[in-house]
Amino acid sequence: MSSSTYSSFKLACIQLSVTSDKNANLINAKSKILEASRNGAKVIVLPECFNSPYGTKYFSEYAENIPQGESVKTLSEAAKEANAFVVGGSIPERDSSGKLYNTCTVYDTKGNLIVKHRKVHLFDIDIPGIIKFQESETLSPGSSLTHFETDYGKVGIGICYDMRFPEMAMIAARKGCIAMIYPGAFNLTTGPLHWELLQRARALDNQFFVATCSPARDMTSTYHAWGHSTVTDPNGQIVATTEHEEAIIYADIVSSQRRFDLYPDISAHK
Ligand SMILES: NC(=O)CC(=O)C(=O)O
């Protein structure tokens, strides 16, 4: 399909309440996916670490093999029932050698797992007395960039900290993506500083939509997510956002007039 024939679609970001009960998280995620679909969403996004609390001490316990694990099964069923593309936030993944990753899985409208993205840039921060979080204590980084085709155009995927590295979004744009989607969980320190600024910058630089999807904030958990799931348009304007409670936000995404089918792939330039 050429980019000129792509149509617009409704995108939903589910700012999910995540608990320490994995099964409850999966049931809640599926029910919210079906709710978003009833409201017309055709691409539905979950937050970073949606089946587990976000914290290095939890990753091993909640990790699953992909595609054998129960989270893939639930999301596949949900995508099929919803007849929508599902960007499955992220889950801790354990590969066959025992390494752990922070991984996003994506499903088509038939429930097929079409692509997975392992977080490339691991979030290591140490601001003495304020926040210390070291994903690299337990996780390994992914080593590839990820894009997938929908009926509406190509979409790029990054996870949270990946948003701080502009090259990923730029390459996605040059490859013809109409949007970049970042499941993410900033926090009460970095959220107010950079969450909105980064996504507006990525959108404006690349003249495409950017969507971010956070877990809802839980002040009883060890990591306090910023929330504020947001969709930004190619002008850098916010078209949908929310505060920090559980919520679903919706935005209409329209494909751009740029003709990537006619331009050389400058990301391949040596
Ligand atoms: N959680 C992350 O990966 C990133 C983050 O919180 C930040 O960059 O700030």
Side-chain angles (χ1 to χ4, degrees), residues 48 54 102 119 121-125 131 133 135 159-162 164 184-187 189-191 194-195 198 223:
E48 180 174 31
Y54 185 50
N102 186 339
K119 190 172 187 173
H121 304 94
L122 296 181
F123 178 47
D124 286 352
I125 186 172
I131 180 170
F133 195 95
E135 279 191 320
I159 301 177
C160 201
Y161 201 55
D162 285 338
R164 291 187 180 272
F186 275 34
N187 51 72
T189 305
T190 61
H194 290 149
W195 175 253
L198 282 166
Y223 186 90

Side-chain angles (χ1 to χ4, degrees), residues 23-39:
N23 196 41
N25 295 333
L26 294 181
I27 290 170
N28 192 22
K30 184 172 178 187
S31 124
K32 293 286 189 301
I33 288 169
L34 297 179
E35 178 184 333
S37 143
R38 285 194 298 278
N39 289 328

Side-chain angles (χ1 to χ4, degrees), residues 128-193:
I130 298 181
I131 180 170
K132 181 163 197 252
F133 195 95
Q134 307 278 316
E135 279 191 320
S136 64
E137 281 171 359
T138 51
L139 300 181
S140 298
S143 53
S144 54
L145 305 183
T146 308
H147 315 108
F148 66 97
E149 284 288 350
T150 70
D151 301 337
Y152 320 99
K154 200 189 285 185
V155 173
I157 298 286
I159 301 177
C160 201
Y161 201 55
D162 285 338
M163 182 164 64
R164 291 187 180 272
F165 300 86
E167 293 82 359
M168 270 181 78
M170 200 180 294
I171 289 167
R174 295 299 171 271
K175 287 193 175 294
C177 291
I178 58 166
M180 191 78 193
I181 295 179
Y182 297 98
F186 275 34
N187 51 72
L188 301 190
T189 305
T190 61
L193 275 176

Side-chain angles (χ1 to χ4, degrees), residues 59-173:
F59 293 149
S60 177
E61 180 189 341
Y62 286 77
E64 294 179 21
N65 178 276
I66 294 174
Q68 279 88 7
E70 62 221 273
S71 298
V72 167
K73 184 168 176 289
T74 303
L75 295 184
S76 165
E77 286 168 5
K80 192 172 173 188
E81 273 183 56
N83 191 28
F85 288 85
V86 169
V87 176
S90 76
I91 62 169
E93 175 196 4
R94 179 176 286 105
D95 76 2
S96 53
S97 70
K99 279 186 179 173
L100 300 175
Y101 301 88
N102 186 339
T103 304
C104 174
T105 51
V106 181
Y107 306 81
D108 68 13
T109 57
K110 305 273 184 287
N112 299 307
L113 172 58
I114 49 173
V115 83
K116 76 175 182 186
H117 175 74
R118 290 172 167 164
K119 190 172 187 173
V120 168
H121 304 94
L122 296 181
F123 178 47
D124 286 352
I125 186 172
D126 187 0
I127 306 177
I130 298 181
I131 180 170
K132 181 163 197 252
F133 195 95
Q134 307 278 316
E135 279 191 320
S136 64
E137 281 171 359
T138 51
L139 300 181
S140 298
S143 53
S144 54
L145 305 183
T146 308
H147 315 108
F148 66 97
E149 284 288 350
T150 70
D151 301 337
Y152 320 99
K154 200 189 285 185
V155 173
I157 298 286
I159 301 177
C160 201
Y161 201 55
D162 285 338
M163 182 164 64
R164 291 187 180 272
F165 300 86
E167 293 82 359
M168 270 181 78
M170 200 180 294
I171 289 167

